[in-house]
Amino acid sequence: MAFDLGSPFIFPLRIAQVIFAIIVLGIMAYVVNWFNTYAFFLFASSSPSQANFLLFTSIWTLLVLVYLIIAPVRFQSFAHKYAILGVESGLDVCGASEAGVAFSAFEWLLFLISTAMAAMHCWNTKDSSNTTHGPAIEVQHQPGGTISSPQVFIATRSTSGIGRELSKILYAHHAKVYLATCSPEKASATIETLKKAHPESKGGLVFLKLDLDDLTTIKASAQEFLSKEARLGVICNNAGVMLPPPHSKTKQGYELQLGTNTIGPFLLTKLLTPFLVKTAKISTPGAVRAVWVLSSAARTFAPVGSVDMGNLDFKK
């Protein structure tokens, strides 16, 4: 799990920190340039060491902010909670040295807040590790090292983005992955690419026709899977749409994001739940599960208070 200070307010806070850091950098760059351009000719002196140091700390602050924003999302192995706390504390020192500049004082205050949040997060999670691990991919081995029964996965929207990367990782670990998507052409191309990337895999890649914006087709997709497999280890509901054209609807008239991201995957999971339960009874505890992939943007843009259950289709 990416380190996020345990707060939904961290992203807006980071944006504010970036804005103030850019302002301070601009001010410092202007001051240094003025000294080096005009003061040199008037007083035969270059910019004072204090101004040069403030320019350096401004640049360093921006670089570190890039790490603080990107690492927890894209490079989680480099975003350990204590590393974040150390970086936050270091920026406090830089901010204190800049606080004589008006905008730097605000920047310093923001870093004091995020440092306090980082410290509280470390304290609250002191008995837990920084990351969590998903279920192990169960693979039954026969004498001689051959694989007899790979774990079976369903990954929706598996021809691009996270779904494709997930399928690639699972297949590389000898899992059998059903690529549940609506386009047979894209699925075929993805299967060919993944097989070429991992020719040593003993797993499998299978196309499963799935159209999440049409509820009448989902039962047929579930039945097709059930007719081919004796068990199901994990279903990963990854498919989703974001910011479609206004008033976009599913085949049944639901708002497109609600229908594709929530209702369709819920129906598919509901239809396969008895099969998941059956598989769990003969599998390692914790190895069978249903996974829902969500966006961290929900923390920033979710309705204040709660979802308006009376306006799910945005008709009001």
Side-chain angles (χ1 to χ4, degrees):
M1 181 173 61
F3 177 76
D4 60 1
L5 304 187
S7 171
F9 303 107
I10 188 59
F11 183 72
L13 183 62
R14 292 288 187 228
I15 296 301
Q17 289 171 336
V18 169
I19 292 173
F20 280 112
I22 292 175
I23 293 174
V24 173
L25 175 60
I27 294 173
M28 291 299 100
Y30 175 80
V31 170
V32 170
N33 180 69
W34 187 90
F35 269 100
N36 290 336
T37 303
Y38 299 103
F40 179 80
F41 293 102
L42 296 175
F43 310 109
S45 64
S46 59
S47 58
S49 58
Q50 294 92 332
N52 292 330
F53 177 73
L54 291 178
L55 179 62
F56 166 77
T57 56
S58 299
I59 296 174
W60 174 251
T61 298
L62 275 176
L63 292 175
V64 173
L65 277 170
V66 171
Y67 162 77
L68 290 173
I69 293 173
I70 296 179
V73 178
R74 303 292 298 179
F75 307 102
Q76 297 180 14
S77 59
F78 296 98
H80 194 280
K81 58 186 178 183
Y82 293 115
I84 298 291
L85 178 59
V87 170
E88 293 277 8
S89 302
L91 286 178
D92 273 344
V93 175
C94 292
S97 66
E98 298 175 351
V101 181
F103 285 106
S104 296
F106 290 107
E107 180 188 3
W108 180 48
L109 178 61
L110 292 175
F111 279 116
L112 280 177
I113 294 172
S114 59
T115 301
M117 293 169 64
M120 291 177 61
H121 179 79
C122 290
W123 175 259
N124 293 334
T125 60
K126 61 182 182 297
D127 296 325
S128 64
S129 61
N130 186 59
T131 58
T132 58
H133 301 278
I137 300 175
E138 293 184 353
V139 180
Q140 298 179 4
H141 293 269
Q142 293 179 339
T146 59
I147 296 173
S148 62
S149 183
Q151 177 72 295
V152 179
F153 290 77
I154 292 178
T156 65
R157 189 65 180 276
S158 44
T159 58
S160 63
I162 295 175
R164 180 188 176 99
E165 291 303 310
L166 172 64
S167 300
K168 179 180 179 181
I169 293 170
L170 295 174
Y171 181 65
H173 286 78
H174 311 293
K176 186 175 184 179
V177 186
Y178 278 79
L179 282 67
T181 183
C182 60
S183 172
E185 293 79 13
K186 291 183 179 180
S188 178
T190 300
I191 290 172
E192 182 179 357
T193 300
L194 297 186
K195 285 186 175 181
K196 287 182 178 179
H198 297 284
E200 76 288 351
S201 176
K202 304 300 182 181
L205 295 167
V206 183
F207 167 61
L208 178 64
K209 175 70 174 179
L210 178 65
D211 190 356
L212 289 171
D213 71 349
D214 187 355
L215 298 179
T216 62
T217 67
I218 294 178
K219 185 175 182 179
S221 299
Q223 289 176 335
E224 179 184 350
F225 173 82
L226 295 175
S227 68
K228 295 179 178 179
E229 294 295 336
R231 62 177 185 162
L232 172 61
V234 177
I235 176 172
C236 183
N237 292 307
N238 170 73
V241 296
M242 182 177 180
L243 299 177
H247 309 297
S248 297
K249 303 289 184 180
T250 67
K251 300 296 191 299
Q252 283 70 45
Y254 294 105
E255 191 275 328
L256 188 60
Q257 292 176 111
L258 174 68
T260 304
N261 301 5
T262 304
I263 299 177
F266 173 80
L267 177 58
L268 177 64
T269 304
K270 187 71 174 178
L271 292 170
L272 294 174
T273 294
F275 209 51
L276 288 166
V277 173
K278 176 183 175 182
T279 306
K281 293 179 180 179
I282 58 173
S283 302
T284 303
V288 177
R289 62 184 66 183
V291 178
W292 292 72
V293 178
L294 305 177
S295 171
S296 59
R299 295 186 174 185
T300 302
F301 301 107
V304 177
S306 63
V307 175
D308 184 358
M309 300 302 292
N311 189 33
L312 292 177
D313 286 326
F314 298 102
K315 294 180 179 179
K316 297 180 182 179

